[in-house]
């Protein structure tokens, strides 16, 4: 089943009196449960593609379908709900709230749900799976870079999203730590059956995905 479809998606930003085209007529399909690496040089449009897939940015033209829905036809409020339920994000920087503990950070996306006790159970279970069962009450400042990123992985999965999006998730980590974080992402992706789309510069990381797509100057390189 296709999880997400881009049909002729373009993105243009205004730039002074001119405009900057960042994505050019990109068409692609992500299948449910697959893992896809998005590669390409800096400035090629990789983050923009991921942000449109994550419904954080709107395309200038073309159509996006996620789980058989056009997310951009929803009201802002409905889109926020759809995003919260359907899409998990892991950024290069962990984006954790400094005043919240690991457990509280993982629970943030569940605050709108009514079933507190099952949300708390799931947060405990995910934090255990990422090896942080003994760090539940630690705030981000008391965690290492790798541990913060593992909290971010648990937070991204708390609502059982269909899509897990990662933008250079190991870009700020040393090689050894990055390797362990990657193992964790793949292990959880397999367990949860989530579709994983990841922007990366790292060839050895990209080699582990089911598919690799390359963006060059906003266009998909179909020779890859
Ligand atoms: P990549 O992730 O491949 O490095 P990006 O998608 O981040 O590329 O950016 C592609 C181009 O779009 C860059 O030239 C960047 O400066 C430009 N860009 C990204 N976001 C914006 C924005 N909000 N406004 C204007 N230009 C932007």
């Amino acid at each position: 089943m296709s999880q997400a479809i881009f049909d002729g998606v373009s993105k243009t930003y205004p730039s002074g009196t001119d405009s900057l085209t960042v994505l050019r007529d990109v068409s692609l399909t992500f299948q449910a449960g697959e893992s896809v690496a998005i590669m390409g040089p800096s400035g090629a449009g990789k983050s923009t593609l991921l942000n449109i897939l994550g419904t954080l940015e709107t395309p200038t033209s073309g159509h996006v379908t996620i789980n058989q829905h056009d997310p951009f036809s929803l009201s802002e409020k409905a889109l926020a709900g759809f995003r919260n339920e359907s899409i998990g994000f892991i950024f290069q920087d962990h984006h954790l709230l400094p005043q919240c503990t690991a457990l509280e950070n993982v629970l943030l996306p569940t605050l709108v749900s009514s079933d507190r006790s099952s949300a708390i159970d799931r947060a405990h279970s995910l934090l255990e799976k990422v090896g942080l069962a003994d760090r539940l009450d630690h705030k981000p400042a008391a965690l290492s870079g790798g541990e913060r990123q593992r909290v971010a992985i648990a937070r991204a999965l708390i609502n059982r999203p269909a899509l897990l999006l990662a933008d250079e998730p190991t870009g700020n980590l040393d090689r050894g730590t990055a390797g362990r974080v990657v193992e964790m992402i793949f292990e959880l992706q397999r367990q949860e059956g989530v579709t994983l789309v990841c922007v990366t510069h790292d060839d050895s990381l990209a080699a582990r995905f089911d598919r690799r797509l390359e963006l060059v100057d906003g266009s998909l390189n179909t020779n890859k």
Side-chain angles (χ1 to χ4, degrees):
M1 189 183 68
S2 50
Q3 194 96 76
I5 301 167
F6 272 38
D7 183 12
V9 169
S10 296
K11 180 72 179 179
T12 301
Y13 290 112
S15 170
T17 52
D18 213 355
S19 65
L20 176 70
T21 297
V22 176
L23 287 182
R24 298 166 199 274
D25 195 19
V26 171
S27 294
L28 49 79
T29 300
F30 298 102
Q31 301 297 341
E34 72 169 341
S35 63
V36 181
I38 310 283
M39 309 190 70
S42 189
K46 303 183 295 297
S47 295
T48 303
L49 186 154
L50 200 74
N51 288 340
I52 292 175
L53 183 58
T55 73
L56 296 169
E57 289 189 48
T58 51
T60 309
S61 60
H63 287 98
V64 174
T65 308
I66 299 174
N67 294 349
Q68 280 78 51
H69 291 90
D70 172 1
F72 301 111
S73 68
L74 299 172
S75 69
E76 214 168 295
K77 185 160 178 250
L79 178 59
F82 173 83
R83 185 188 303 128
N84 189 50
E85 281 171 18
S86 312
I87 305 169
F89 295 92
I90 307 170
F91 299 97
Q92 182 167 351
D93 291 312
H94 50 85
H95 287 212
L96 301 178
L97 291 186
Q99 68 274 29
C100 292
T101 66
L103 181 63
E104 289 164 349
N105 266 290
V106 173
L107 283 167
L108 285 174
T110 70
L111 290 180
V112 289
S113 90
S114 50
D115 191 349
R116 296 310 300 147
S117 72
S118 68
I120 291 168
D121 286 351
R122 172 137 171 100
H124 275 107
S125 151
L126 283 167
L127 281 164
E128 193 172 316
K129 283 183 181 169
V130 298
L132 294 176
D134 57 350
R135 298 279 196 283
L136 301 181
D137 297 324
H138 286 54
K139 292 187 176 167
L143 297 170
S144 70
E147 288 171 337
R148 286 178 205 149
Q149 215 47 336
R150 288 192 262 156
V151 177
I153 295 167
R155 182 190 50 188
L157 292 170
I158 186 79
N159 283 340
R160 303 181 195 277
L163 272 176
L164 178 60
L165 307 183
D167 197 345
E168 301 273 7
T170 57
N172 283 343
L173 303 175
D174 65 70
R175 217 168 168 74
T177 308
R180 287 189 291 280
V181 165
V182 165
E183 292 308 327
M184 222 151 256
I185 292 175
F186 278 113
E187 176 62 22
L188 282 162
Q189 186 235 349
R190 196 182 55 75
Q191 284 182 23
E192 303 272 320
V194 65
T195 307
L196 172 64
V197 181
C198 177
V199 167
T200 183
H201 277 108
D202 182 339
D203 285 338
S204 61
L205 172 56
R208 304 192 43 184
F209 285 73
D210 296 332
R211 275 198 298 144
R212 284 147 293 283
L213 299 174
E214 187 176 37
L215 273 178
V216 178
D217 200 16
S219 299
L220 273 183
N221 180 356
T222 47
N223 298 324
K224 188 94 173 169

